[in-house]
Amino acid sequence: MTTLSLIVPCYNAAKTLRPCLEAVLAQTRRPDEIVVVDDASADDSAAIAAGLGCRVVRLPVNRGVSAARNAGVAATTGDVVFFLDSDVELRPDAVANALRILEDDPECGCVQGVYEPEPLIDDGPAEWYRVLHAAYWRRRHLGDVTGVVFALAAIRRDVLRAVGGFDETLRDCEDVEYGGRLAGTCRVVLTDEVRGRHDDASRLLPILAEQWRRAVPLIPLALTASRRGGGQPEHANRPAGILACALAMASLPLGLLHPALFALPSALLACFAAADPGLLRFVHRHRGPAFTAYFVTVHLAVHVVLVSGLAFGSLRLLPGLRRPPPSPETG
């Protein structure tokens, strides 16, 4: 019988850890072991996990999600490792479905799930933007994929051994880097049979800050994956929309030469808004027309930061501007 270890890395996760773990304990196929890796939290995360009967591994200093996941792997023995973020509440059949997919297909080494289109805790419109966008783009790529998001994903332990641990120098985009190494070693499947509700960021500035942090290393990581022969991860945003936003930003100064030239960036912004009609229909169906207008506005702000971060990350590849990766202690 295949054994399964479920690992929950957490840092100051008291808000969501209880519903996360209660959903794990209510699975139709209970994990053989549940390990919560507390990444030096300053709240009651470890006490909540211990109170629910979970084994807790405590890290003495905060080292980031990669180190927490590696510590969880080292502390467990299951044939399959199910990684679950502390802000995700699984559907009751999620673990059983992931294990069934792996058992039915020996060539499949990793199964990852999708978010529900409703937040775990409703904290306002900015969170709805994030949740709806994440729910949509993952469903758009159902099937065999290259990239991996380890928020709710099961992977065979022998695949983990072959590919190696998570890069502990990375505080962001660690899943992108890992997917680059994983590509080509086994089938990776994205399925809507493994689902969970996610509690996401609820304020715009932290959302934009996170987008910046994740955008800056994307180009260097993509180039590294390409040199290794790995594939590129699936796009969360349509390339046409990213290009339209970038061109609109680049052409905006033309309006300083003559007001009529503002027509060009305006037209490009219209192209940006129309770049993913399926996304707009998805948002409209779940939240209506007024929220869809708000969604497009926030989506544009996120793209401006994304394009800026990609450009900055590309500039850092130039000779003289390259910097060594951060240490795990400094992030």
Side-chain angles (χ1 to χ4, degrees):
M1 178 180 175
T2 303
T3 57
L4 183 141
S5 304
L6 188 139
I7 297 170
V8 181
C10 76
Y11 174 65
N12 291 342
K15 176 184 176 183
T16 59
L17 188 58
R18 183 174 297 279
C20 168
L21 294 177
E22 286 176 345
V24 171
L25 295 170
Q27 290 292 299
T28 58
R29 200 298 193 182
R30 287 274 295 268
D32 297 283
E33 56 183 344
I34 303 167
V35 171
V36 175
V37 182
D38 181 67
D39 194 14
S41 296
D43 64 5
D44 294 331
S45 295
I48 291 170
L52 290 171
C54 302
R55 182 151 59 98
V56 179
V57 174
R58 296 174 184 254
L59 301 185
V61 295
N62 179 259
R63 296 172 56 196
V65 68
S66 293
R69 287 178 181 147
N70 287 341
V73 172
T76 56
T77 60
D79 303 318
V80 172
V81 176
F82 195 119
F83 292 107
L84 178 66
D85 279 2
S86 59
D87 54 8
V88 177
E89 178 191 71
L90 291 175
R91 285 173 55 100
D93 59 356
V95 169
N97 289 342
L99 195 56
R100 173 179 50 78
I101 292 170
L102 289 171
E103 290 177 335
D104 289 349
D105 184 357
E107 294 184 358
C108 179
C110 180
V111 176
Q112 55 183 314
V114 300
Y115 291 147
E116 300 281 20
E118 301 86 22
L120 173 58
I121 301 171
D122 186 350
D123 290 317
E127 182 176 28
W128 274 99
Y129 162 79
R130 289 272 289 191
V131 167
L132 286 171
H133 181 241
Y136 171 78
W137 80 259
R138 294 189 189 189
R139 282 166 171 77
R140 183 160 56 86
H141 294 295
L142 293 177
D144 285 15
V145 293
T146 299
V148 185
V149 178
F150 282 99
L152 59 169
I155 185 169
R156 298 183 193 275
R157 187 174 293 270
D158 58 359
V159 172
L160 281 172
R161 290 196 187 103
V163 177
F166 292 89
D167 186 344
E168 297 186 11
T169 68
L170 295 175
R171 293 264 180 162
D172 291 288
C173 293
E174 77 291 334
D175 45 3
V176 176
E177 188 277 337
Y178 200 90
R181 285 187 281 142
L182 183 63
T185 65
C186 63
R187 285 186 62 221
V188 179
V189 173
L190 176 61
T191 176
D192 59 0
E193 294 186 67
V194 178
R195 290 152 60 182
R197 290 197 300 159
H198 182 221
D199 187 65
D200 215 314
S202 59
R203 292 181 294 126
L204 183 57
L205 286 180
I207 288 172
L208 297 178
E210 181 184 7
Q211 180 62 80
W212 172 266
R213 292 195 307 270
R214 292 188 66 85
V216 169
L218 280 179
I219 297 297
L221 287 174
L223 292 175
T224 299
S226 179
R227 286 194 294 267
R228 290 172 173 166
Q232 298 304 314
E234 287 65 36
H235 297 290
N237 298 291
R238 296 282 189 181
I242 297 173
L243 179 61
C245 180
L247 292 174
M249 293 168 64
S251 62
L252 191 60
L254 294 176
L256 300 176
L257 302 176
H258 193 283
L261 295 178
F262 278 122
L264 178 57
S266 298
L268 289 166
L269 289 176
C271 292
F272 163 80
D276 196 344
L279 173 61
L280 298 186
R281 289 194 296 269
F282 183 81
V283 174
H284 184 275
R285 183 167 68 250
H286 285 278
R287 296 289 288 174
F291 184 85
T292 302
Y294 167 84
F295 184 98
V296 172
T297 303
V298 176
H299 203 45
L300 175 59
V302 168
H303 272 71
V304 169
V305 174
L306 169 62
V307 169
S308 301
L310 292 174
F312 182 73
S314 299
L315 287 174
R316 292 173 65 182
L317 294 174
L318 296 176
L321 295 180
R322 295 176 183 168
R323 297 196 301 179
S327 68
E329 288 77 15
T330 59

